[in-house]
Structure formats: C-alpha cells, structure tokens
C-alpha cells in the first residue's frame, strides 16, 4: 500500500504512532495503553491485507510509511512479545550496537515477569538496571551490557568487542584493561 496520510482512516491515524515507534509492530498491550480497543484492532487487522499476525498479541503493519524502519521489525517483535518495560540485555545490546561483529545465536531480553526461554530468546530477570535506547528500542546501558555479554564470548570476540567499545566511546581504556 502506498503511504498517504490523507487516505488513512481515523483509526489508522491512531495506530500510526505505535507502528512507527515499534518498527511496524503493533503490540496489543501498547494499543490498549493508547486507548484502543483490542477487538477493534483485531477486526481492522483481519480486513487489512497489509497486516500480518506473527504472534499472539502482536500485529505487523507493512506500509510505505517513511518513518518506519523495517530493519528492526524482528527486534521490536521480540520486545513486544516480552511485554511492557522489557529491554534488550547483554549480548543483544552488543549486537545492536554493532560491536566487534558479535552476533549471538539467541536474543537476550530482560523482563519484569518471569518468562520461559525459547529456542531463540533467552530471558533474564530485570533488576532495574539503567537503560538507554538504540534505534528507538530500549536497551541495557551499553557499558553494563558489554560487561554482561563478555561471558558469552570466546577470547577473540571479547577483544574485538572491547576494542570497538573503546573506539566508539562506550568504555574507557581503563575499563577495557579491567575487563580484558
């Protein structure tokens, strides 16, 4: 669908900020927080060919909206499934920041509620750590995330990540020596 604000229904104009914030994902819990009735959302999605239902409580709306960066849709879907207040943790933060070419085989998410791990998602209990954002997604503060991620890496990757972190200002040279 070609994106034209003038052709959006009133309901779609209410959904647009949610889809923009979540890289095309519309979590039902976020829609509720915005005062949108979940049954209205479900009926709208069923009639809209640009909407998919990739998981329980999650809709993906694919439009030509230039404000939506679909490169991060899968990341946003993972956080949306984890629920309100969730954030990427440790290795996933290092991957999102692009440090050392690191890529974890699983996404690491911190949540307030205990959740079961799946094949591709490792859940961690949220201890109220400091947060930041990258690509509009909530993450563990980078220097803490780097420290937590090092346990998952071999020595070569650890050195590459630490060097990149210093070059990009996430760690000081002293922190690199302490962690290395």
């Amino acid at each position: 669908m070609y994106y034209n604000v003038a052709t959006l229904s009133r309901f779609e104009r209410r959904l647009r900020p949610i889809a923009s914030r979540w890289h095309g994902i519309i979590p039902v819990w976020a829609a509720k927080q915005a005062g949108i009735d979940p049954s209205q959302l479900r009926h709208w999605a069923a009639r809209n060919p640009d909407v998919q239902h990739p998981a329980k409580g999650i809709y993906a709306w694919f439009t030509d909206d230039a404000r939506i960066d679909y490169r991060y849709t899968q990341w946003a879907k993972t956080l949306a499934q984890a629920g309100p207040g969730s954030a990427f943790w440790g290795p996933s933060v290092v991957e999102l920041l692009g440090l050392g070419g690191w890529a974890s085989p699983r996404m690491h998410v911190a949540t307030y509620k205990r959740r079961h791990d799946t094949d591709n998602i490792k859940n961690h209990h949220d201890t109220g750590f400091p947060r930041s954002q990258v690509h509009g997604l909530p993450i563990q503060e980078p220097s803490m995330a780097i420290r937590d991620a090092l346990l998952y890496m071999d020595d070569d990757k650890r050195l590459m990540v630490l060097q990149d972190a210093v070059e990009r200002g996430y760690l000081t040279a002293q922190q690199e020596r302490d962690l290395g």
Side-chain angles (χ1 to χ4, degrees):
M1 163 174 131
Y2 177 72
Y3 186 75
N4 182 347
V5 176
T7 62
L8 292 179
S9 70
R10 191 171 143 216
F11 182 72
E12 289 172 332
R13 283 193 294 275
R14 290 177 62 203
L15 287 175
R16 192 176 98 171
I18 299 167
S20 293
R21 156 100 177 69
W22 286 93
H23 300 283
I25 296 295
I26 302 170
V28 172
W29 59 262
K32 279 183 185 177
Q33 288 176 344
I36 295 170
D37 179 20
S39 65
Q40 187 180 11
L41 177 59
R42 183 178 62 248
H43 292 297
W44 167 81
R47 293 186 312 268
N48 191 327
D50 297 322
V51 176
Q52 295 176 3
H53 185 54
K56 182 180 179 183
I58 307 287
Y59 294 97
W61 186 15
F62 296 99
T63 70
D64 290 337
D65 186 343
R67 299 183 330 165
I68 298 176
D69 189 346
Y70 289 106
R71 291 177 297 173
Y72 303 102
T73 299
Q74 188 62 35
W75 290 88
K77 177 184 166 274
T78 298
L79 275 187
Q81 285 179 281
S86 60
F88 285 112
W89 182 90
S92 290
V93 175
V94 170
E95 185 174 349
L96 271 168
L97 294 174
L99 299 176
W102 169 253
S104 176
R106 300 174 95 182
M107 289 189 176
H108 292 258
V109 179
T111 62
Y112 291 112
K113 291 183 178 181
R114 300 248 184 235
R115 297 186 179 273
H116 295 288
D117 294 343
T118 62
D119 289 340
N120 63 338
I121 299 171
K122 171 75 175 145
N123 292 293
H124 302 270
H125 180 67
D126 188 341
T127 57
F129 53 77
R131 285 174 161 64
S132 187
Q133 281 197 357
V134 65
H135 309 298
L137 300 170
I139 62 169
Q140 181 183 23
E141 191 277 320
S143 65
M144 290 178 70
I146 292 163
R147 193 173 323 119
D148 290 337
L150 294 177
L151 299 171
Y152 295 86
M153 297 176 199
D154 62 27
D155 290 339
D156 292 342
K157 278 295 181 188
R158 186 178 296 121
L159 290 173
M160 290 171 51
V161 165
L162 289 173
Q163 288 171 352
D164 275 1
V166 170
E167 286 175 16
R168 295 183 48 203
Y170 294 115
L171 296 175
T172 65
Q174 182 59 49
Q175 288 172 315
E176 176 190 20
R177 283 190 293 278
D178 292 346
L179 293 171

